[in-house]
């Protein structure tokens, strides 16, 4: 029987790639998207709900699938207000995980970040770390938390900081191929999306998957 999936963040950098992969994958018969904007895709497998993701918990009766992929996230540049930042990077993934628990969805995959720790002094890492802890509290049988390094590639919006960082990484990229530095090598969104689909279909034995392992599994 064909599987069903839910995608959150389907209009984002990684989520948009993941959505196309799932729609093209013969193992999936139906893909549901919840988002504040339309992904502007017409496909017989696709069902789309345009909603306020801060009110995701109100859609429990629609939130039903075999797997849930959460690719939601923001940046300081896009969301300078820390309260809103937390509502996005913590609130939405945790609400999704709670719905998985309530609706007995046994596979939940979420994108976090390398360096995420709930007691970190860095606000970004601390928020991600707290999100991870809250997600794990739901005890969803197959939970996978991906912790990628900087996600490389061309985005629709221009981010000067990432532009400079990517340019620098291209110059010194060879040194990231060896030893402990491999985990900090920038990673492509396609690789992350492929890894997520692989994890959902192979039941990996680790909950947290760091960037280096994402690279390996997503190749």
């Amino acid at each position: 029987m064909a599987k069903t999936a839910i995608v959150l963040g389907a209009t984002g950098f990684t989520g948009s790639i993941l959505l196309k992969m799932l729609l093209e994958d013969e193992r999936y018969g139906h893909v549901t998207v919840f988002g504040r904007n339309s992904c502007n895709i017409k496909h017989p497998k696709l069902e789309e709900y345009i909603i306020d993701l801060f009110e995701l918990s109100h859609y429990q009766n629609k939130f039903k699938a075999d797997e849930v992929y959460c690719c939601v996230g923001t940046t300081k540049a896009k969301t300078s207000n820390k309260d809103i930042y937390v509502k996005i990077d913590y609130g939405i993934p945790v609400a999704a995980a709670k719905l998985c628990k309530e609706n007995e969805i046994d596979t939940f995959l979420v994108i976090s970040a390398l360096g995420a720790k709930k007691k970190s002094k860095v606000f970004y890492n601390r928020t991600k770390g707290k999100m991870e802890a809250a997600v794990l509290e739901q005890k969803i049988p197959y939970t996978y938390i991906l912790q990628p390094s900087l996600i490389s590639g061309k985005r629709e919006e221009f981010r000067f900081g990432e532009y400079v960082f990517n340019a620098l990484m291209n110059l010194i990229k060879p040194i990231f191929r060896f030893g402990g530095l491999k985990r900090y090598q920038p990673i492509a969104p396609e690789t992350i999306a492929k890894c997520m689909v692989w994890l959902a279909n192979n039941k990996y034995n680790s909950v947290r998957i760091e960037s280096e392992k994402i690279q390996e599994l997503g190749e």
Side-chain angles (χ1 to χ4, degrees), residues 87-119:
K87 287 178 70 175
I88 295 171
D89 274 45
Y90 174 90
I92 296 173
V94 174
K98 288 180 178 179
L99 286 176
C100 286
K101 182 69 173 181
E102 292 168 2
N103 288 348
E104 299 183 343
I105 300 171
D106 67 3
T107 302
F108 181 69
L109 304 98
V110 60
I111 299 177
S112 181
L114 193 64
K117 292 182 180 179
K118 64 179 182 179
K119 293 185 179 180

Side-chain angles (χ1 to χ4, degrees), residues 102-194:
E102 292 168 2
N103 288 348
E104 299 183 343
I105 300 171
D106 67 3
T107 302
F108 181 69
L109 304 98
V110 60
I111 299 177
S112 181
L114 193 64
K117 292 182 180 179
K118 64 179 182 179
K119 293 185 179 180
S120 173
K121 294 181 180 179
V122 179
F123 172 74
Y124 177 81
N125 291 343
R126 186 168 66 252
T127 301
K128 291 290 191 184
K130 289 181 177 179
M131 177 274 289
E132 291 184 6
V135 164
L136 291 174
E137 285 177 3
Q138 306 311 311
K139 300 186 184 303
I140 301 163
Y142 301 105
T143 299
Y144 300 108
I145 298 171
L146 286 80
Q147 298 179 323
S149 180
L150 179 72
I151 303 175
S152 62
K154 186 177 181 181
R155 300 175 186 264
E156 289 185 4
E157 77 274 16
F158 179 73
R159 298 181 181 178
F160 182 72
E162 289 188 5
Y163 171 79
V164 173
F165 190 82
N166 275 314
L168 179 60
M169 288 300 102
N170 287 332
L171 291 175
I172 62 176
K173 195 172 183 178
I175 71 173
F176 284 88
R177 295 176 182 171
F178 307 98
L181 290 176
K182 287 183 70 175
R183 68 199 297 263
Y184 298 107
Q185 184 174 358
I187 188 167
E190 292 86 358
T191 302
I192 299 171
K194 287 179 182 178

Side-chain angles (χ1 to χ4, degrees), residues 2-21:
K3 298 202 295 180
T4 58
I6 289 172
V7 179
L8 304 174
T11 60
F13 198 33
T14 303
S16 60
I17 295 169
L18 170 67
L19 175 60
K20 291 177 182 178
M21 286 184 182

Side-chain angles (χ1 to χ4, degrees), residues 204-218:
Y204 195 58
N205 60 2
S206 293
V207 172
R208 290 183 173 89
I209 300 92
E210 290 194 351
S211 203
E212 185 179 352
K213 181 58 69 170
I214 296 172
Q215 187 74 48
E216 179 183 323
L217 296 176

